[in-house]
Amino acid sequence: MSRVFVSRDMASVALGADDVARAFAAAGCQVVRTGSRGLFNIEPLVEVETEEGRIGFGPVGPADVAAVLDGSHANRLGRIEDLPFFAGQQRFTFARCGIIDPVDLNDYAAHGGWLGLEKARALAPQQVVDAVKASGLRGRGGAGFPTGIKWQTVLDAPAGDKFIVCNADEGDSGTFADRMLMEGDPYCLIEGMAIAAHAVGAGHGYIYIRSEYPFCVATMRAAIEASAHLVAPFVLEVREGAGAYVCGEETALLDSIEGKRGQVRAKPPLPALQGLFGRPTVINNVLSLAAVPFILSEGAEAYAAVGFGRSRGTMPVQLAGNVRHGGLYEIGFGITLGELVNEIGGGTASGRPVRAVQVGGPLGAYFPPSMFHLPFDYEAFAQAGGLIGHAGITVFDDSVDMAHMARFAMEFCAAESCGKCTPCRIGSTRGVEIMDRIIAERDITAPVRPEPVEGRARASTSSARTEGGYLGKALYSRAPDRIDVSIEAQTNLLRDLADTMKYGSLCALGGFTPYPVLSALDHFPEDFGASAPVKEAAE
Amino acid sequence: MEDFVTEWTARHGATRDRLLPLLHAMLEEAGYIDDALVPAIARALNLSRADVHGVITFYHDFRRTAPGRHVVKLCRAESCQARGGAAIEAAAAKRLGVAMGEVRADGQVALEPVYCLGLCAIGPNALVDGRPVGRIDAAVLERIALEVAA
């Protein structure tokens, strides 16, 4: 009887992996459901256990069982780890993902699981915090704050109830590393949280998972139940989000766990001192916590040995959007954007030229190919007017309209704003209005898209103004003759607004929405109706 | 449903932080959270009605009207847009006969926006009655349409 491996990852299932698994089971195979290996153009992927190792076939369908089992299938890939996409990776955090049965405790232990926790428990809490500091690990949620320093603050806080909270509200488009890890290696996250609990003296932990990730919720709940005896007396609980993007902001997340509207809190006080239920709280991203078992088991030096500048260790980069080889690529910091997009990602899936990439989700900047020399590093990206964020890279081909993407960034901010601060709540709506005026003027004066423009000047503005609903009323309530709708005036207004949002917002939602908007404007001025590139300083 | 609220809180606790889990359980049970139940929830958790209303209306998931018999949640985020999501959205609205964000008049199907399902390399994506579907093209859309017509 053959033993075959088929992923149960949500992306694999979306491509039909369940049907494939059922077909192999019906043919008498022993089917092991794993996480995803992380390369989606070969999914659904089946690996067959042989004497030469696990031989992969993909993509395959339910009708391919016989051809796969006799080895004659055309999509034979050989050993997955020998494929170029995998051979170049440095899998520290995702070492087990796609290989083991995610909820099988024996499989986890057989692949180096729990070694980090064992080592940590043999050390004093301060020594564990010191190891995390020495590793150079920085918050993988996007802000890049040193994890060890956060832990030190919580450790130094007066004893009493303390909490470990894992931010698994991975709402950024183009990112899926948290989801893959929780579905493919949930014990790794649990181990990381147990180490954090030991390091700071916490007794209770929460994993806040967005409701758009139903597979994660189920897998984490099963894994928590199965491993409860191993992490005791530390107790873990999953809390499910409810579709609010802003709950990925740490203080909004804490309020959401407390049963409130997910509104952002003013800082200080820091969550490390007054976090969940007003108690000292470590709140870290999934990838930060999941990096910790490796740091403890292999040593802080082994982790810090990889990286670039002040960005130490590895980053699970996610190649997404219109990209040929989309998937998860874990590599040390310092690799360039161009290598990631063109060499590893293989360019666009559509075969057209790459026009722009957005790095770091809806709040990240758009970069043109002329900036592909940028090394993947927190500081280098900040200097270039962008951010790494959660390391998602969304690729767009030359059919993209960057003014529409800038409008979408504002629209998204308006839809997801928690409403607490004015620049974000009102500014985003005003931003949509400005973008509509710019797009309307552009399409009248210099139509870059082939759509025919009917009527004369401002015809499209007035037709847009008659849109129904509360949004239409809010957007077009002012008398148009009082507004200078020239592209130049509106562009200046947009920059002014972006400045207010950037410096006046309470959190990154309003504060970072200017990144995609201004980067689109700066790097792709032709889409905003400007004839020549406007190269003025952002500030 | 009022009995459901009292039974649920008796079993799972009635502290304030149980509010979201309770609302999720009610959503699972009835498909939506009726405004008429707000007083019962407020009583059970010792909160004001305004407070409960505020939480329900803050989160996109907590719908206050009955959903369609079938729900298609189609991703509108950047990665799906980069793979032709806008065209699929327009085609889906046309084929299913319902505008984005609406329930069809006969209650058979709802088309809802979702901002990222984390399947960003295989878009455009959707959740069809909770089941993930990737690489949506005209053929896949037709399969979805036939599925939700049943």
Side-chain angles (χ1 to χ4, degrees), chain B residues 42-88:
Chain B
R43 235 178 358 258
L45 296 184
N46 195 25
L47 299 170
S48 74
R49 279 177 293 162
D51 203 341
V52 173
H53 175 80
V55 170
I56 293 171
T57 51
F58 182 84
Y59 296 95
H60 300 304
D61 283 4
F62 298 142
R63 48 175 314 134
R64 295 154 65 204
T65 50
R69 277 185 288 283
H70 297 281
V71 179
V72 178
K73 293 187 179 188
L74 190 64
C75 180
R76 295 195 68 223
E78 289 90 340
S79 293
C80 284
Q81 289 187 36
R83 300 176 63 93
I88 288 296

Side-chain angles (χ1 to χ4, degrees), chain A residues 36-110:
Chain A
S36 173
R37 289 278 195 166
L39 176 59
F40 294 111
N41 62 318
I42 59 168
E43 297 263 14
L45 171 71
V46 176
E47 290 177 72
V48 183
E49 196 168 64
T50 69
E51 281 168 12
E52 318 149 55
R54 281 159 64 163
I55 302 300
F57 296 84
V60 296
D64 300 331
V65 174
V68 166
L69 291 178
D70 68 21
S72 65
H73 196 281
N75 293 346
R76 187 181 194 276
L77 301 163
R79 282 158 35 99
I80 296 301
E81 46 274 24
D82 296 338
L83 294 178
F85 186 88
F86 294 97
Q89 296 196 42
Q90 291 164 305
R91 287 215 167 181
F92 289 5
T93 302
F94 281 80
R96 283 175 292 263
C97 192
I99 295 170
I100 63 167
D101 176 349
V103 286
D104 184 338
L105 277 170
N106 297 326
D107 224 1
Y108 184 67

